[in-house]
Amino acid sequence: MAEPLLCARESTLYDSSTELGWHHLGKKNKSRGWFMVGSVVLLLMTGGILILGISIVSLNHKGSLKLPPKSKNMVLLISDGLGPASMTFARTYYQYLKNKPYDYQLPLDSMHVGQSRTRSSSSLVTDSAAGATAISCNIKTFNRAVAVDASKYPCGTLLESAKHVRHMLTGLVVTSRMTHATPAAFSSHVDDRDNENKIAIHQIGDNPLGRSVDLMFGGGYCYFLPKAHNESCRWDHRDLLKEAKDSFDWKTIHYGDREKFDQLSPADSDNILPAIHLFSPDHMAYSIDRNSSYEPSLSEMTDKALQILNDASQKSGKGFLLVIEGSRIDMAAHSNDATTHVHEIFEYQNTVDVVKKFIDQHSDTMMISTSDHETGGLSLGRQVTSYYPDYLWYPDVLARVKSSSINLAKMILSHGPLSPKYIINEILRDQLGVTDPTETELSLLMNTTNVKRLDSIISDMISTRAQLGWTTHGHSGVDVNLYAYGIGAEYLIGSHENTEVGQFIAALLDLDLEEITRRLNSHDPSYYWTDISEQGKMYNENLDHYHQNNTTLLSGPNTLSTQSEITK
């Protein structure tokens, strides 16, 4: 028997040595009329919103809504933590690195259609769980919530409706743990994103709906192994990979095995799906650190997933919904690690290019790309003195960096007795290209024993020299870019709530999130639907307020030293 979804709730392909073969075939907006069409469609869509309890929102798209022709397949890409400044950063740095003209565009640039607004129901700055749930369930919810509404009722997701209502093929491809917030928000229901033990249980199919995912490529196999296993991070003795095969009909299950992944033949999809391939116990490696002998890149996983799902789709006559996340763009920005951040963006651009080429050959497929939020508050310029600033930043500083800051922090802490010679030669000169460390920097590198603190020190050394600024080690509340490619892309032109992105996908694929939500809550007599009102969209009373003498009031240029840890 499936376990209950929730506990009781309270009432209420980038390689620096090669050049990318990116195509730039995005459709141009040929007239202002497309803006009018996009606006009208989305106004109509928002006119059909429903609510579960006080906050479940679903698109009623079965009426006379004018939409572009239905799409058989949908590829949704989520660039976790990628904001507009980071897009500019990646483009200009790539132009510098590859000696490209100033008007050279990256794959996403040619498909930019608008912006997405990202606040959650509980904060003006969302976290990844609420940000992903806004898209997956078409609702605003509180930070840390994974596919549950603001009252903690489970909400039906796009992926679940695609599988259980439309009988489509479904897939998740990520570089984080598979149980991390974004993939979890499409495939599980918990009221706290840290409950990854429960998330993994839901993902294999142990939930009221049964198995909703046909393909999972990514990291984080530790949450699927029993507690006795030396690589497990479960708190119980359940072997979820064994259960997946024995009880939920998964056919292909491998972990920590790149060779088995490479041997997958897309034409043999009948014998492959459903498939789990997890390549690391925790998150997969950053692109700048990745050993290709052990882990595929995001673009490689995406290419394989598209081929397998397409083969299965051709044989079954059913479409597919594939959700892809560039997960570690966000994590590098949390560290304020500029070089690692931009390498993650490059690999995401590679992945977008893979999908664009697929769509060019399969016109019944559409792609949407957006971010759940921005991370880091990146600024391309750092002059903060009282002197009149120079308008610049130095890309050459980044070009000399060979490793992520967190990897170097771990190297330092595992080295044993440290010497200035080791720090100066093997870390600073050889890995970072830094030849002018200050006495203060050397002292910090020699004496810091906390890995997150050391990560921050190393990152700041590069950002300071490159004259790149960061406002936070957390998320910011800025709007993020919205991209679309393929049939119907022009209907997304404009500025939209993140919930409207999910509503558009539900309408385009003819999904029924209301039906899935009813199934998920069929055991709960307190569940009900009601029409949403303008008052129902008023979340301002849920916002936290400034508290006098708040401990977050930190001063000086080095505030991280007074914090216990970097915010998630």
Side-chain angles (χ1 to χ4, degrees), residues 242-261:
K242 184 177 187 301
E243 290 184 34
K245 193 175 188 67
D246 294 345
S247 302
F248 300 102
D249 300 322
W250 292 86
K251 291 182 180 178
T252 307
I253 300 175
H254 296 291
Y255 67 95
D257 196 333
R258 166 77 198 248
E259 185 178 352
K260 292 290 187 183
F261 173 79

Side-chain angles (χ1 to χ4, degrees), residues 209-276:
L209 297 174
R211 182 179 57 78
S212 298
V213 193
D214 293 303
L215 178 149
M216 295 197 297
F217 292 167
Y221 58 72
C222 75
Y223 280 103
F224 295 84
L225 298 176
K227 183 178 181 179
H229 194 287
N230 63 357
E231 290 187 293
S232 174
C233 46
R234 291 197 64 76
W235 59 46
D236 59 31
H237 296 282
R238 294 184 65 172
D239 185 342
L240 296 189
L241 296 182
K242 184 177 187 301
E243 290 184 34
K245 193 175 188 67
D246 294 345
S247 302
F248 300 102
D249 300 322
W250 292 86
K251 291 182 180 178
T252 307
I253 300 175
H254 296 291
Y255 67 95
D257 196 333
R258 166 77 198 248
E259 185 178 352
K260 292 290 187 183
F261 173 79
D262 291 337
Q263 291 171 356
L264 292 177
S265 173
D268 195 28
S269 62
D270 290 343
N271 295 315
I272 294 174
L273 297 177
I276 298 173

Side-chain angles (χ1 to χ4, degrees), residues 33 38 97 116 122 132 136 167 175 201 217 222 238 269 294 310 339 348 365 373 390 422 435 456 463 491 512 531 540:
L97 201 61
S116 172
S122 63
S136 70
H167 308 293
T175 51
I201 291 171
F217 292 167
C222 75
R238 294 184 65 172
S269 62
Y294 296 104
N310 184 60
T339 311
Y348 187 79
T365 304
H373 54 76
D390 294 323
Y422 171 75
T435 58
S456 177
S463 291
Y491 283 72
D512 190 343
D531 291 335
N540 295 327

Side-chain angles (χ1 to χ4, degrees), residues 367-389:
M367 163 173 51
I368 294 174
S369 174
T370 193
S371 303
D372 47 356
H373 54 76
E374 191 273 349
T375 304
L378 176 64
S379 173
L380 305 182
R382 189 186 176 104
Q383 299 80 34
V384 294
T385 66
S386 59
Y387 297 102
Y388 193 80

